[in-house]
C-alpha cells in the first residue's frame, strides 16, 4: 500500500512538473506573440489614422514608383498604337542647337485655359525657345474653356499660319478641332500637347508630333494610392472627364487606362464612377455621387483645378471630416489644393495624395520635339512623354514642388515653410 502511495505521489509530482513547464512555455510564446502584435499595432498606428483610413508611408511611395515611361498613343481612329519615348530621345547636342539658332524660327502658341499646369508648360517652352533663338510671336488664349472659343481661335490662326514655322496648341476637344488643325498643318508644322487631331497622318511632313505627361502612370499611381488609403476594401468614388472616356482628350484617356488596370486587380473594392463634361461643374457631379452613395470613404477625382478644388467645397458643405468621413486623391500639382494641404497639415486636410505631373518638363520637351522635327523630319520621335514624380503626400509636398516647377517660379510660402519632408527617393529622370 505504501509503495502504491509513494508511486502515486511521485506521479503527481511529475505531472505537476510537466504542467508547470507547459504553462511557462505557453506564457513565453504568448509574450512573444503579444510583442509581435504590439509591434504590428505600432506599425499600423504610424500609417493608419484613428478613423481607419491608411496614410501612405515613405516606403509606400517608393514601392509604387515605376521608372521609365509607359504611355502609348492610340485614339479611336488609329489601328496601331504609337509607343511613347522618354525625355532622353529629344535632347539636343550643342551642334544641333547651333543649327536651329541659325534658322531664326518664328512660331505661335494657343490654349483655351490658363491654370498652373499651363503656366509651367508655357514656361518650359519659352525656356527652350530662348535657348534655340526661336521667337514666340504670339500666345493666343481663348476667352473661355468651350470648344467653340478654341475653334474661333483656330479659324483666325488658319488665315495666318503660313507666316510661321510652327504652331503649338493644346486641343481640348480633338473631335471638334481635328479638321481645322489638319488644315493648319498644311500651312505650317503642327505640334500639340496632350492630344493629336483624330485621323491625322502620322507620316505627314508637317506633323511634328504630340508631347504629354505620362498619363498612364498618373492613372496607375493615383488609383493605387486611393485603394491603399482605402485599405483595399469598401467604397471608392471615381470622377473623371468624359472627354477621356470617349477618347477625344488623350492625356486623360491614358489616365483612365491606368485606373482601369489597377481596378482589375482589386475586385473587393466597390467602384462608383461618374463623369463631368465641364470641369467647372465637376462639383455638382461630386455632390450627386456622395448623396447617392454615402458609403464612399475615398474620392479619386481627375484634375486638381477646378474639379478637386470644388470637391473640397462639397466635403465642407456636407460637414464631412477629413480622414474620418472622406479622403481625396487627385492628379496634378496646383496651388488650389497645394496651399490648403500645406496649411492644414497631414491630419486635417482632405487631399491625402495627388500625382505631380511634370508639366514644366513637358513644356521643354514641346520645344525640343519641334526642333528635332525641323532637323530630321519624320525620323524624329512623334510621341514624347515626361514621367510623373512619385505619388505626392503632405510629407513630400515641398520636395516635389521644388522639383516640378521652374527655379524662377514663386513657390507659396506655406509650402516653403514645411519641414521634415521626405527626399525624392528615386533616381532623377527629370534633369
Amino acid at each position: 500500500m505504501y509503495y502504491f502511495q509513494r508511486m502515486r505521489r511521485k506521479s503527481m509530482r511529475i505531472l505537476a512538473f510537466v504542467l508547470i513547464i507547459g504553462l511557462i512555455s505557453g506564457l513565453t510564446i504568448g509574450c512573444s506573440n503579444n510583442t509581435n502584435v504590439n509591434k504590428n499595432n505600432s506599425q499600423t498606428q504610424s500609417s493608419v489614422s484613428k478613423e481607419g483610413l491608411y496614410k501612405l508611408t515613405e516606403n509606400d511611395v517608393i514601392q509604387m514608383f515605376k521608372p521609365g515611361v509607359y504611355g502609348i498613343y492610340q485614339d479611336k481612329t488609329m489601328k496601331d498604337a504609337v509607343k511613347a519615348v522618354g525625355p532622353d530621345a529629344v535632347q539636343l547636342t550643342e551642334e544641333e542647337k547651333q543649327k536651329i539658332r541659325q534658322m531664326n524660327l518664328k512660331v505661335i502658341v494657343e490654349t483655351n485655359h490658363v491654370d498652373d499646369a499651363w503656366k509651367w508648360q508655357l514656361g518650359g517652352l519659352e525656356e527652350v525657345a530662348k535657348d534655340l533663338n526661336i521667337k514666340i510671336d504670339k500666345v493666343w488664349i481663348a476667352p473661355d474653356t468651350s470648344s467653340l472659343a478654341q475653334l474661333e481661335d483656330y479659324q483666325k490662326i488658319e488665315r495666318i499660319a503660313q507666316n510661321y514655322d510652327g504652331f503649338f496648341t493644346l486641343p481640348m476637344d480633338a473631335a471638334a478641332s481635328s479638321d481645322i488643325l489638319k488644315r493648319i498643318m498644311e500651312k505650317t508644322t503642327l505640334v500639340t500637347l496632350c492630344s493629336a487631331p483624330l485621323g491625322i497622318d502620322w507620316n505627314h511632313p508637317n506633323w511634328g508630333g504630340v508631347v504629354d505627361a505620362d498619363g498612364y502612370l498618373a492613372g496607375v499611381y493615383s488609383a493605387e494610392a486611393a485603394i491603399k488609403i482605402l485599405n483595399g476594401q469598401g467604397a471608392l468614388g471615381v470622377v473623371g472627364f468624359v472627354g477621356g472616356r470617349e477618347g477625344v482628350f488623350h492625356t486623360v484617356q491614358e489616365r483612365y487606362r491606368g485606373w482601369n488596370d489597377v481596378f482589375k486587380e482589386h475586385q473587393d473594392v466597390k467602384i462608383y464612377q461618374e463623369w463631368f463634361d465641364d470641369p467647372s461643374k465637376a462639383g455638382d457631379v461630386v455632390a450627386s455621387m456622395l448623396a447617392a452613395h454615402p458609403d464612399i470613404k475615398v474620392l479619386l477625382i481627375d484634375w486638381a483645378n477646378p474639379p478637386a478644388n470644388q470637391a473640397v467645397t462639397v466635403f465642407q458643405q456636407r460637414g464631412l471630416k477629413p480622414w474620418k468621413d472622406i479622403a481625396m486623391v487627385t492628379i496634378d500639382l496646383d496651388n488650389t489644393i497645394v496651399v490648403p494641404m500645406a496649411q492644414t497639415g497631414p491630419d486635417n486636410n482632405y487631399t491625402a495624395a495627388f500625382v505631380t505631373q511634370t508639366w514644366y518638363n513637358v513644356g521643354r520637351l514641346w520645344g525640343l520635339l519641334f526642333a528635332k522635327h525641323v532637323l530630321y523630319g519624320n525620323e524624329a520621335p512623334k510621341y514624347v512623354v515626361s514621367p510623373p514624380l512619385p505619388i505626392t503626400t503632405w510629407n513630400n509636398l515641398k520636395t516635389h514642388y521644388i522639383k516640378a516647377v521652374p527655379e524662377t517660379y514663386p513657390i507659396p510660402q506655406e509650402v516653403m515653410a514645411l519641414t521634415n519632408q521626405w527626399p525624392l527617393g528615386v533616381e532623377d529622370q527629370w534633369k
Side-chain angles (χ1 to χ4, degrees), residues 239-265:
V239 177
F241 177 46
V242 70
R245 183 191 68 184
E246 296 177 357
V248 296
F249 190 42
H250 190 266
T251 187
V252 292
Q253 177 185 349
E254 277 287 274
R255 292 176 183 182
Y256 308 154
R257 184 170 71 89
W259 282 1
N260 291 335
D261 282 353
V262 173
F263 295 158
K264 291 173 186 176
E265 298 176 0

Side-chain angles (χ1 to χ4, degrees), residues 24-309:
I24 291 172
S25 299
L27 288 172
T28 302
I29 293 170
C31 289
S32 175
N33 285 343
N34 285 339
T35 300
N36 290 336
V37 168
N38 290 336
K39 182 179 179 181
N40 290 338
N41 284 344
S42 175
Q43 290 174 340
T44 302
Q45 288 169 2
S46 69
S47 57
V48 180
S49 71
K50 294 178 181 179
E51 293 76 21
L53 292 176
Y54 183 89
K55 290 191 175 179
L56 300 177
T57 67
E58 185 176 5
N59 189 50
D60 292 328
V61 171
I62 300 303
Q63 286 185 341
M64 287 183 192
F65 179 75
K66 298 172 178 59
V69 297
Y70 291 75
I72 60 169
Y73 201 103
Q74 186 172 26
D75 62 39
K76 58 188 179 183
T77 67
M78 298 171 62
K79 180 180 178 181
D80 299 317
V82 177
K83 187 176 180 180
V85 297
D88 289 346
V90 292
Q91 300 305 310
L92 299 173
T93 65
E94 190 58 34
E95 181 182 0
E96 290 171 328
K97 289 181 180 181
Q98 279 299 112
K99 289 181 180 179
I100 294 294
R101 289 169 186 148
Q102 294 168 3
M103 294 180 185
N104 296 309
L105 301 171
K106 184 172 66 172
V107 302
I108 48 175
V109 182
E110 193 277 346
T111 184
N112 78 335
H113 70 285
V114 178
D115 57 7
D116 285 340
W118 165 253
K119 294 173 186 175
W120 298 327
Q121 291 160 3
L122 182 60
L125 176 60
E126 289 174 336
E127 178 189 296
V128 170
K130 182 178 180 181
D131 182 41
L132 298 180
N133 190 34
I134 298 173
K135 180 181 179 182
I136 299 178
D137 191 59
K138 185 176 181 180
V139 178
W140 296 64
I141 300 174
D144 59 62
T145 60
S146 68
S147 297
L148 180 60
Q150 190 165 42
L151 281 173
E152 290 175 351
D153 271 358
Y154 289 160
Q155 289 166 359
K156 296 172 185 176
I157 291 167
E158 182 185 9
R159 293 194 287 268
I160 59 172
Q162 67 274 8
N163 299 326
Y164 296 91
D165 299 293
F167 174 44
F168 294 73
T169 186
L170 196 172
M172 291 296 293
D173 187 342
S177 61
S178 292
D179 288 344
I180 193 167
L181 285 175
K182 285 184 281 189
R183 293 200 300 270
I184 292 173
M185 188 178 68
E186 293 299 325
K187 299 181 176 183
T188 189
T189 296
L190 174 68
V191 279
T192 63
L193 274 183
C194 301
S195 290
L198 298 178
I200 196 167
D201 178 3
W202 282 71
N203 294 312
H204 193 287
N206 282 355
W207 172 228
V210 58
V211 179
D212 202 355
D214 193 325
Y216 178 76
L217 276 184
V220 169
Y221 290 171
S222 56
E224 287 183 347
I227 290 174
K228 188 81 172 177
I229 292 165
L230 192 60
N231 275 310
Q233 58 188 355
L236 174 66
V238 181
V239 177
F241 177 46
V242 70
R245 183 191 68 184
E246 296 177 357
V248 296
F249 190 42
H250 190 266
T251 187
V252 292
Q253 177 185 349
E254 277 287 274
R255 292 176 183 182
Y256 308 154
R257 184 170 71 89
W259 282 1
N260 291 335
D261 282 353
V262 173
F263 295 158
K264 291 173 186 176
E265 298 176 0
H266 297 275
Q267 299 294 325
D268 292 339
V269 175
K270 186 185 297 183
I271 305 291
Y272 299 114
Q273 189 154 20
E274 297 290 346
W275 306 91
F276 58 83
D277 57 6
D278 183 346
S280 66
K281 297 179 181 178
D284 296 338
V285 176
V286 174
S288 297
M289 171 180 275
L290 293 179
H293 307 290
D295 56 329
I296 290 174
K297 299 293 288 185
V298 175
L299 178 71
L300 172 58
I301 183 168
D302 199 9
W303 296 13
N305 182 16
N309 184 42

